[in-house]
Amino acid sequence: MTPLAFLASLPVRAYRRLFSPFVGHNCRYQPTCSAYALEALEKHGAFKGGWLTIRRIGRCHPLGGMGYDPVPDPTRKPEDEPNA
């Protein structure tokens, strides 16, 4: 995780320790929004991971969807592919 992504993950980690035990386990999505946020920050960094997290939280409302919603894998550039 990049240093900036680590700083962005601190509020999520604080939420998981302080508030999550009292809120309960009634999440609409799998993985939970906080687990999604940590994974998105790990895979994509602070900016894109933060954007993915904001989009996910925006979808979490009574009229929104539900179910399995994984973090997308980072896209690979053609120049990153090994020569075969």
Side-chain angles (χ1 to χ4, degrees):
M1 185 178 289
T2 64
L4 191 57
F6 178 76
L7 286 175
S9 73
L10 291 177
V12 177
R13 294 173 194 270
Y15 164 79
R16 290 184 94 178
R17 283 207 181 256
L18 300 174
F19 298 112
S20 185
F22 301 109
V23 174
H25 301 288
N26 53 2
C27 200
R28 301 176 60 82
Y29 288 105
Q30 189 59 258
T32 64
C33 290
S34 59
Y36 184 96
L38 292 175
E39 186 177 348
L41 291 168
E42 176 75 34
K43 283 185 175 182
H44 296 283
F47 294 108
K48 186 170 182 184
W51 173 247
L52 290 170
T53 300
I54 290 168
R55 285 183 47 212
R56 167 68 177 273
I57 292 171
R59 290 192 308 263
C60 191
H61 55 81
L63 300 176
M66 58 187 297
Y68 183 61
D69 181 26
V71 175
D73 288 328
T75 56
R76 294 182 63 152
K77 298 175 186 166
E79 60 266 12
D80 293 340
E81 295 293 325
N83 293 335

